[in-house]
Amino acid sequence: DAKTTQPTSMDCAEGRAANLPCNHSTISGNEYVYWYRQIHSQGPQYIIHGLKNNETNEMASLIITEDRKSSTLILPHATLRDTAVYYCIVRASGNTGKLIFGQGTTLQVKP
Amino acid sequence: NAGVTQTPKFQVLKTGQSMTLQCAQDMNHNSMYWYRQDPGMGLRLIYYSASEGTTDKGEVPNGYNVSRLNKREFSLRLESAAPSQTSVYFCASSELYPQETQYFGPGTRLLVL
């Protein structure tokens, strides 16, 4: 599985868009990009995933570059409840199902 | 629809004691997982059950046993607890195996003295 690199921490003003980057320069053609978050020691929460097209759901948008070497998770209107650790995970579908959580990005949403 | 539930929420054990962590899901998922998370670390897979009636070891299975009681329930047992097993334990489920879209419970915080 491709390794991912994320900034350790980021701040965002409440009501503004939060843009969380992830580098995955060694990603393979069959590997998906997944995003999870963990709020204050709760169980991780699935946010979104994609292969090469941009994806959007009720929680967030995922923008994947054309060469697929990086991606950005966008929370369009961040709230204080979005303060969490955000994990970018690259996985090939059909592998063991084991999720490898790195250090992630701690997003602090400030009033 | 409660999703994934875990009991207990918090437990203190003495070294050598045994206990069972319970997990249940009401999403009719086929696959279930047990992870542990140590302070400041990512999650590590202990055991998983791809489908009812099957269980397999994950990354850190030593000191643990599991039972897939039925499609809904997946329990984790510590036969003789050790301080190194102090951790937060998360149960997760997914519709199919292998699948990376997993839904997690709130966790059980275990302290072994």
Side-chain angles (χ1 to χ4, degrees):
Chain A
D1 297 324
K3 181 179 176 181
T4 62
T5 303
Q6 299 177 250
T8 302
S9 63
M10 293 182 63
D11 290 341
C12 177
E14 188 177 20
R16 303 295 294 269
N19 296 285
L20 290 87
C22 180
N23 286 320
H24 31 78
S25 58
T26 60
I27 193 169
S28 300
N30 65 341
E31 289 183 314
Y32 287 74
V33 180
Y34 283 79
W35 283 85
Y36 279 76
R37 72 181 182 183
Q38 190 169 23
I39 299 173
H40 190 52
S41 299
Q42 296 177 19
Q45 178 187 25
Y46 165 78
I47 301 173
I48 198 168
H49 76 282
L51 183 62
K52 50 185 171 182
N53 296 321
N54 297 338
E55 302 288 344
T56 295
N57 63 20
E58 64 278 4
M59 288 183 67
S61 294
L62 174 60
I63 308 298
I64 303 174
T65 57
E66 194 168 340
D67 63 7
R68 303 209 322 121
K69 293 185 177 182
S70 66
S71 60
T72 301
L73 177 74
I74 301 173
L75 308 177
H77 306 287
T79 70
L80 298 179
R81 289 179 293 181
D82 292 322
T83 293
V85 180
Y86 288 78
Y87 297 98
C88 171
I89 300 168
V90 174
R91 293 284 302 171
S93 181
N95 278 1
T96 63
K98 180 179 71 174
L99 291 172
I100 301 174
F101 289 81
Q103 295 303 305
T105 296
T106 299
L107 175 68
Q108 182 72 49
V109 180
K110 298 184 175 182
Chain B
N1 191 345
V4 179
T5 57
Q6 293 183 235
T7 55
K9 288 186 170 58
F10 181 72
Q11 183 72 48
V12 179
L13 291 179
K14 294 181 180 178
T15 298
Q17 287 185 319
S18 62
M19 78 162 294
T20 300
L21 283 65
Q22 305 287 353
C23 174
Q25 52 91 9
D26 62 3
M27 296 174 282
N28 202 35
H29 285 169
N30 287 298
S31 304
M32 298 184 75
Y33 312 80
W34 275 106
Y35 292 86
R36 61 176 287 174
Q37 185 175 33
D38 299 327
M41 305 284 286
L43 278 73
R44 293 184 291 171
L45 183 66
I46 305 171
Y47 271 92
Y48 63 96
S49 171
S51 61
E52 187 178 355
T54 68
T55 60
D56 285 286
K57 296 178 180 180
E59 185 182 356
V60 288
N62 291 344
Y64 305 95
N65 287 302
V66 290
S67 295
R68 184 72 184 269
L69 304 171
N70 48 54
K71 191 172 185 179
R72 288 187 64 249
E73 299 172 289
F74 189 37
S75 63
L76 178 72
R77 183 163 177 82
L78 287 70
E79 291 291 351
S80 179
S84 61
Q85 294 178 304
T86 293
S87 190
V88 181
Y89 292 84
F90 292 104
C91 177
S93 70
S94 65
E95 186 175 353
L96 295 172
Y97 178 86
Q99 195 166 80
E100 288 67 46
T101 304
Q102 297 179 15
Y103 298 87
F104 286 79
T108 294
R109 284 150 184 78
L110 177 65
L111 174 62
V112 183
L113 301 175

